[in-house]
């Protein structure tokens, strides 16, 4: 079994380059099933989730080739399979994003239903509502879900919640439908804009991505393109919090600071200095960190994917902080682990009340999901002794070279096989 060990570290200092965004790479890889010419994706992060998505594409008949560590070439001209295996689907929920592309490209798709996960039940009703509106028939049978349609026809779809995955899946299904599709109350995340830009390069006609109304004019055929994936705003935010929690000074490079406005604002509220300069952001920590409150919301609100890392920070802020989670119903699994390290946190429904403590103490802990794992690494940096993190496969799903990047900044972090 592999573990990550983190020792109390000096203030982190130096530069770190942020990788391409996991949550853009996954939908873009799925969308690559739609084009019939060569597609080249650049700045693809080297992550377990990306590997799984590449396996999914290969299993469907696509040719996937690594041209470099972070450059992938995909050719989907021979894609003819419409079923994904339970084995691949159960490894990663985002595999479900192939449903929209397969439905529009082949007229049918069959996948096993994604189960719940550590952060909540995560239904897919909104994805299906969109497919149905476009004219697909949906069948659920023995844990599998099939969607099929002789012809998809554009329609007006209102999402009850601006779900990122549903917006992406519906956009991908609608690009080759007959006529116009309008998605209202669409997710506005930067990853949606990246997907729209990519699909438009392939030949799609999508307008309005990044606003709550996306308009898609169906086209007959999509070709190929070269596309650079946007920087990972959550990885950037994680290193910004690392500067704050460790009392350090980090220049985070390859970021789009507009994508991380709430993270910048909240770090400033703690008292840190944050300097935005072109495609980099420098965070200089303050000696005394003020308590802050956060409330997670769909973009452009505070990202749920930064809640755990901020909670690690709040454990040592002076005073009482509050974190309210509104996006997922069960995303406080890191709380018990942080408490094992000496944090003072109480949960009341969707709120966590965090009373700042003077010191944390290293302990054996378990990562329950990707961001919870990142929070434990951050807490480990300022905990007396050693923090031993188990279940690090979660961390490897979303952080490209985490211990290398942290080590270069001066962190005492090691990966060990037991
Ligand atoms: N929801 C529904 N019905 C649906 C779809 C979603 O009720 O049909 C609910 C979910 O249960 C949840 C909320 O809507 O309570 C938000 O879910 P959303 O669909 O927006 O999330 P997602 O597409 O499943 C993506 C990211 C997550 C990130 C969320 C929110 C990817 C691959 N995953 O998930 O990333 O937390 O958006 O921003 O893009 C992570 O990177 O650690 C991560 C979990």
């Amino acid at each position: 079994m592999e573990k990550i060990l983190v020792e109390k570290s000096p203030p982190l200092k130096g530069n770190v380059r942020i990788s391409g965004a996991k949550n853009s790479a996954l939908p873009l890889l799925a969308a690559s099933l739609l084009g019939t010419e060569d597609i080249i994706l650049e700045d693809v992060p080297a992550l377990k989730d990306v590997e799984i998505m590449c396996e999914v594409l290969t299993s469907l008949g696509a040719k996937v080739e690594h041209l470099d560590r972070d450059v992938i070439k995909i050719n989907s001209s021979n894609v003819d399979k419409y079923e994904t295996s339970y084995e691949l689907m159960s490894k990663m929920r985002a595999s479900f994003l192939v449903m929209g592309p397969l439905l529009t490209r082949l007229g049918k798709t069959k996948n096993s239903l994604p189960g719940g996960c550590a952060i909540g039940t995560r239904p897919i009703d909104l994805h299906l509502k969109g497919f149905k509106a476009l004219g697909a028939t949906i069948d659920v049978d023995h844990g599998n879900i099939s969607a099929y349609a002789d012809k998809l026809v554009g329609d007006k779809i209102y999402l009850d919640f601006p779900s990122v995955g549903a917006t992406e899946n519906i956009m991908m299904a609608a690009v080759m439908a007959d006529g116009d599709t309008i998605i209202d109350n669409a997710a506005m995340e930067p990853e949606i804009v990246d997907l729209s830009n990519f699909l438009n390069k392939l030949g799609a006609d999508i307008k309005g991505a990044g606003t709550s109304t996306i308009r898609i004019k169906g086209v007959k055929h999509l070709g190929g393109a070269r596309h650079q994936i946007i920087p990972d705003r959550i990885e950037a935010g994680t290193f910004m919090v690392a500067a704050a929690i460790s009392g350090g000074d980090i220049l985070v490079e390859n970021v789009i600071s507009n994508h991380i406005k709430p993270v910048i604002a909240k770090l400033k509220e703690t008292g840190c200095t944050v300097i935005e300069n072109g495609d980099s952001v420098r965070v200089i920590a303050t000696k005394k960190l003020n308590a802050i409150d956060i409330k997670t919301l769909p973009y452009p609100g505070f990202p749920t994917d930064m809640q755990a890392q901020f909670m690690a920070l709040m454990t040592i802020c002076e005073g009482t902080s509050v974190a309210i989670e509104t996006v997922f119903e069960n995303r406080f699994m890191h709380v018990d682990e942080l408490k094992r390290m000496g944090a003072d946190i109480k949960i009341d429904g969707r709120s966590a009340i965090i009373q700042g403590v003077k010191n944390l103490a290293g302990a054996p802990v378990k990562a329950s999901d990707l961001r919870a794992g990142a929070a434990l690494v951050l807490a480990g940096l300022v905990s007396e002794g050693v923090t031993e993190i188990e279940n690090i496969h979660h961390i490897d799903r979303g952080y490209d070279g985490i211990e290398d990047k942290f080590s270069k900044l001066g962190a005492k972090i090691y990966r060990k096989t037991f």
Side-chain angles (χ1 to χ4, degrees), residues 22-23 26 93-94 97 119 121-127 161-166 168 189 233 304-305 327-329 331 369-371:
K22 165 181 85 82
N23 290 346
L26 298 175
R93 209 190 126 78
L97 290 171
I119 59 177
T121 53
R122 300 181 82 176
I124 51 160
D125 54 318
L126 299 172
H127 302 237
F161 182 88
S163 152
V164 174
E168 292 166 345
E189 270 69 1
R233 63 196 165 100
T304 172
D305 291 343
V327 178
F328 289 106
E329 86 263 12
R331 209 172 192 181
D369 78 90
L370 164 57
R371 310 303 171 188

Side-chain angles (χ1 to χ4, degrees), residues 333-392:
M333 302 288 276
H334 41 284
V335 167
D336 282 340
E337 303 302 301
L338 290 171
K339 280 165 83 171
R340 304 190 66 245
M341 299 172 76
D344 178 351
I345 308 173
K346 288 187 184 66
I347 302 286
D348 181 7
R350 291 195 161 204
S351 303
I353 299 120
I354 305 113
Q355 187 63 49
V357 294
K358 288 237 167 336
N359 294 303
L360 294 175
V365 285
K366 287 195 172 96
S368 52
D369 78 90
L370 164 57
R371 310 303 171 188
L376 297 174
V377 170
L378 293 170
L381 296 172
V382 289
S383 298
E384 295 300 334
V386 185
T387 300
E388 251 185 66
I389 309 172
E390 262 184 52
N391 289 352
I392 61 168

